[in-house]
Amino acid sequence: MTTDPWGRVDDDGTVYVRTGDGERVVGSWQAGAPEEALAFYRNKYDALVTQVGLLEKRLRSTDLSASAAMSSIDKLRDAVKDANAVGDLDALMERLEKLSGRAEERKVEQKQAQEQARGQAREIKERIVAEAERVAVETTHWKSGGERMLQLIEEWKKAPRADRPTEQALWKRMSAARNSFSKRRKTYFANLDQQREGVRTDKERIVEEAEALSGSTEWGPTARAYRDLMQRWKASGRADRSSEDKLWTRFKAAQDTFFDARNATFAERDAELRVNADAKEKILAEAKAEIPGITNPRRARARLRDFQEAWEEAGELPRDVRDKLEGSFRQIEEGVRRAEDAEWDRTNPEARARAKDTVDQLSTAIQGLETKLEKARTAGDERRIKEHEAALEARRSWLTEAEKALDDMS
């Protein structure tokens, strides 16, 4: 019989292994020496040791899941329990028990990590859903809002997953927000299309009116009508882009037809009126040279009437010089008017009476103050003396100005 610390080979070739529960048969060896039998079954034990060692290393140094570890441990337990091998099988079972405890710890750790990850995923997706709901309710910039909604969908897909009930509840809100946004956008553009159709109809009428006026030769009323049509055009809003461009082209063409014809007519008329401008420039030059030198307002007014009659007889002015020449002639008229007003103010009896009354009042006041000043000097009242002297100085100055005004009116 050949023995080993953990087994033996009987004389009939039966191989035994020793465990805490006693001996059990692991095989039979008939082909060679007993030592070869023990070596063979020890190799089988070493293979089990290698497997256990590899599992210990994986559990220690990798992120092997607890469920995968427990499955491997259970398989190795069965393999060691019924192993046809010679070695310290009890020691291997103890190592597997320790591994089982470590796997249970990992199970708890992984569960906690999973709960934490799901909590973080829930927070991320709740934030995504909340923004999607805000976009669905508040956004009116449809292009940027639609782009942001698509970005949020992509963020949802890339975000980690929460637990299934949470995922389902949040996705239901996300889907509802997306549908709500799409419905609001669709309603907006449907209303916008309706409004634009109304605008298109209004502008069609405006264009038809503009085209009907394009051949008019009533220059003033028609020009005002075109200004009114332009105001209506601006106030009516915008139609769809294609209709807007086409209608504006028609409106502009009608307007240009009218104003080109008016400008051509006015240009021809202005050329005919150029001789009137030459005549009025001469009248203006003579009036500027003569009227400012006339000091008598009545004679200035009479001479101005002569120039005014000549001005009217000279006829209408061309548009390019009308404002300038008319403005210059009005300045001469205004100068005569101011001279007449000044003359009236100077010779007005009521004004002269008021000026005379002012002089009399100031003279009386000065006499009274001189009397008071003399009394204060006699009494030696310095305060009263200063007050009366100051009052006298002011009133004497006023009297000088009043007498000068009265002299001008005489």
Side-chain angles (χ1 to χ4, degrees):
M1 181 178 68
T2 303
T3 62
D4 180 270
W6 305 109
R8 63 186 178 86
V9 181
D10 208 349
D11 292 337
D12 61 1
T14 301
V15 182
Y16 297 88
V17 65
R18 297 188 182 93
T19 67
D21 297 329
E23 286 186 334
R24 65 179 176 83
V25 176
V26 295
S28 177
W29 188 265
Q30 305 294 331
E35 290 77 5
E36 293 176 357
L38 289 174
F40 175 77
Y41 286 102
R42 278 198 295 268
N43 286 339
K44 288 190 171 184
Y45 172 78
D46 291 340
L48 291 172
V49 171
T50 298
Q51 292 182 56
V52 172
L54 288 174
L55 184 55
E56 288 173 333
K57 185 175 181 181
R58 288 181 63 199
L59 194 58
R60 181 174 61 252
S61 59
T62 69
D63 58 353
L64 178 67
S65 68
S67 59
M70 291 300 298
S71 177
S72 297
I73 290 170
D74 290 341
K75 289 178 181 179
L76 282 175
R77 275 200 186 109
D78 292 340
V80 171
K81 179 180 178 183
D82 299 325
N84 293 324
V86 174
D88 192 353
L89 296 176
D90 290 338
L92 277 182
M93 290 297 287
E94 290 179 3
R95 290 170 67 182
L96 289 172
E97 288 300 322
K98 290 181 180 179
L99 279 177
S100 179
R102 181 70 187 96
E104 288 293 339
E105 293 175 359
R106 174 159 294 189
K107 182 178 180 180
V108 174
E109 293 171 357
Q110 289 179 338
K111 185 176 181 180
Q112 292 175 344
Q114 188 178 49
E115 289 297 325
Q116 184 177 3
R118 286 177 176 173
Q120 292 174 346
R122 181 172 60 252
E123 291 177 1
I124 292 172
K125 290 193 170 178
E126 282 179 345
R127 177 189 58 78
I128 294 172
V129 170
E131 185 173 353
E133 290 172 336
R134 181 188 61 77
V135 170
V137 173
E138 298 178 4
T139 295
T140 55
H141 297 285
W142 304 111
K143 185 176 185 298
S144 60
E147 292 173 351
R148 184 55 184 151
M149 189 66 77
L150 291 176
Q151 291 172 356
L152 291 171
I153 296 295
E154 290 302 314
E155 290 180 20
W156 173 282
K157 293 177 180 178
K158 294 177 183 179
R161 292 184 61 83
D163 59 277
R164 183 164 182 165
T166 300
E167 282 280 327
Q168 291 176 340
L170 289 175
W171 177 249
K172 185 176 181 180
R173 288 171 56 191
M174 185 75 179
S175 181
R178 181 172 59 177
N179 292 338
S180 175
F181 175 79
S182 298
K183 185 176 180 180
R184 282 182 61 233
R185 180 170 57 182
K186 183 177 180 180
T187 300
Y188 171 81
F189 283 109
N191 292 336
L192 185 61
D193 289 341
Q194 185 176 1
Q195 293 172 4
R196 285 176 173 172
E197 179 60 23
V199 172
R200 189 198 65 76
T201 302
D202 292 341
K203 288 192 172 180
E204 182 75 37
R205 287 195 292 266
I206 293 172
V207 169
E208 290 172 356
E209 293 180 40
E211 289 173 339
L213 291 171
S214 63
S216 173
T217 57
E218 296 181 0
W219 308 119
T222 305
R224 290 191 292 273
Y226 270 111
R227 284 195 293 271
D228 293 340
L229 289 174
M230 178 60 75
Q231 292 300 320
R232 285 169 56 191
W233 177 282
K234 292 178 180 179
S236 62
R238 291 187 63 83
D240 62 278
R241 183 163 186 171
S242 176
S243 299
E244 185 82 13
D245 292 343
K246 292 177 182 178
L247 290 171
W248 174 250
T249 299
R250 289 173 57 190
F251 183 88
K252 187 70 165 54
Q255 185 175 246
D256 289 347
T257 297
F258 168 77
F259 282 104
D260 287 347
R262 189 189 72 159
N263 291 339
T265 300
F266 283 179
E268 183 179 352
R269 182 183 298 173
D270 287 346
E272 295 174 355
L273 297 177
R274 188 61 56 189
V275 64
N276 298 350
D278 294 340
K280 287 195 172 184
E281 285 179 351
K282 291 179 181 178
I283 294 170
L284 182 63
E286 292 176 9
K288 283 183 177 180
E290 182 177 343
I291 289 180
I294 300 175
T295 57
N296 187 307
R298 291 185 179 182
R299 288 201 300 272
R301 169 59 66 180
R303 190 68 182 111
L304 176 63
R305 289 194 191 98
D306 296 336
F307 285 116
Q308 287 173 330
E309 290 175 0
W311 187 270
E312 292 299 326
E313 291 175 359
E316 187 178 352
L317 285 167
R319 289 176 302 163
D320 58 342
V321 297
R322 181 186 303 155
D323 292 342
K324 178 181 178 183
L325 294 180
E326 293 284 359
S328 296
F329 195 75
R330 281 195 298 272
Q331 289 179 359
I332 295 173
E333 293 174 325
E334 181 65 20
V336 172
R337 187 191 64 78
R338 287 197 300 269
E340 288 175 329
D341 291 344
E343 177 65 12
W344 169 253
D345 291 340
R346 189 179 69 81
T347 60
N348 185 357
E350 293 182 359
R352 191 162 56 248
R354 287 195 297 272
K356 178 66 171 60
D357 186 56
T358 300
V359 169
D360 292 343
Q361 289 180 5
L362 287 172
S363 297
T364 301
I366 289 171
Q367 289 176 2
L369 286 171
E370 287 175 341
T371 300
K372 292 179 180 180
L373 176 61
E374 187 61 33
K375 290 180 179 180
R377 285 173 175 169
T378 302
D381 190 339
E382 293 297 330
R383 182 176 66 82
R384 294 289 184 183
I385 292 172
K386 290 181 180 179
E387 289 179 358
H388 296 326
E389 287 178 344
L392 274 170
E393 182 179 358
R395 280 160 180 77
R396 284 167 179 164
S397 173
W398 298 345
L399 178 60
T400 300
E401 294 296 327
E403 288 174 340
K404 181 179 178 183
L406 183 59
D407 289 342
D408 291 339
M409 293 179 180
S410 300

